[in-house]
Amino acid sequence: MKEILLKIARASILEEFENKPLINKKDLIKEYPFLNEERATFVTLKIDGNLRGCIGSILPRMSLIDDVIYNAKQAAFADPRFNPLTPKEYEKIHIEVSILTIPEKLEYENPQDLKRKIRPKIDGVILSLADKQATFLPSVWDELPLFEVFFWQLCNKAGMQGDCLKLHPLIYTYQAQSVEE
């Protein structure tokens, strides 16, 4: 059933190139009622194994189908790290859709305690301090398997120095169910 999420993500991107609707939400929800549940998702695009766009929602704010459509289009055309996807690139993209659980605050004493409590490859992590915030999906552990490197990069992504754990930022964890092409 999760395969339908990939079809929706791909069709929503193609809609932009063809400038016409390709997704019949009413029919899809009738056939797959879970698409109407309020859920948060991330859509990740890769070409030849390299990131090409990744946009998502941390908290549920709309139906699953609407969140996938919105995030797929944002990942393809509005990720500030990349130019908008081209039709030629569309033919090469590999799509992954991740459905997130509700984030939960993780209490910790210090970086060593955090290291004991974090579950690599299971936990996605949100790091937040003052007005800065960043997240890594659980799948990022595959690319950054060492705790220190994972958090160094997460701190940098949030716009803080790589050793920001000494400032005791808020940490939230979540899990994700992913499906990919």
Side-chain angles (χ1 to χ4, degrees):
M1 277 213 272
K2 291 181 190 170
E3 298 295 320
I4 192 64
L5 299 176
L6 294 170
K7 290 178 182 176
I8 291 167
R10 185 165 284 282
S12 65
I13 296 168
L14 187 58
E15 279 183 342
E16 295 298 306
F17 292 126
E18 296 193 0
N19 202 23
K20 65 180 181 183
L22 300 173
I23 299 168
N24 184 325
K25 290 195 292 187
K26 186 177 177 182
D27 287 350
L28 285 170
I29 289 170
K30 187 175 181 181
E31 187 173 351
Y32 304 99
F34 73 93
L35 292 174
N36 208 31
E37 296 173 10
E38 202 168 275
R39 300 296 300 266
T41 67
F42 265 76
V43 175
T44 304
L45 308 178
K46 291 185 178 181
I47 296 179
D48 299 326
N50 297 311
L51 184 65
R52 181 56 182 84
C54 183
I55 298 287
S57 312
I58 297 292
L59 296 172
R61 53 187 167 79
M62 61 182 78
S63 68
L64 177 57
I65 191 169
D66 287 332
D67 207 60
V68 170
I69 291 168
Y70 178 81
N71 289 329
K73 289 180 180 185
Q74 292 297 299
F77 305 110
D79 187 323
R81 299 169 289 184
F82 302 98
N83 289 324
L85 193 74
T86 65
K88 188 174 182 180
E89 289 175 312
Y90 173 81
E91 300 301 323
K92 299 183 208 172
I93 60 168
H94 174 88
I95 299 174
E96 179 179 352
V97 177
S98 301
I99 304 170
L100 279 53
T101 62
I102 301 290
E104 296 181 7
K105 187 175 182 182
L106 181 65
E107 300 292 343
Y108 67 101
E109 301 282 326
N110 53 45
Q112 294 75 27
D113 186 38
L114 179 62
K115 186 174 183 176
R116 283 189 295 275
K117 291 179 176 177
I118 287 288
R119 300 172 302 166
K121 297 190 177 192
I122 296 171
D123 291 331
V125 178
I126 302 166
L127 180 143
S128 181
L129 185 65
D131 64 339
K132 297 180 188 278
Q133 179 174 298
T135 189
F136 278 156
L137 293 168
S139 60
V140 174
W141 288 104
D142 293 334
E143 299 166 36
L144 305 171
L146 297 174
F147 173 89
E148 293 77 10
V149 176
F150 182 94
F151 276 92
W152 184 273
Q153 292 295 332
L154 188 56
C155 289
N156 285 335
K157 183 179 178 186
M160 297 182 259
Q161 290 185 316
D163 59 350
C164 75
L165 288 183
K166 68 183 178 187
L167 302 173
H168 203 84
L170 294 175
I171 300 291
Y172 296 86
T173 60
Y174 59 89
Q175 291 73 52
Q177 293 180 325
S178 297
V179 59
E180 58 185 292
E181 296 178 321

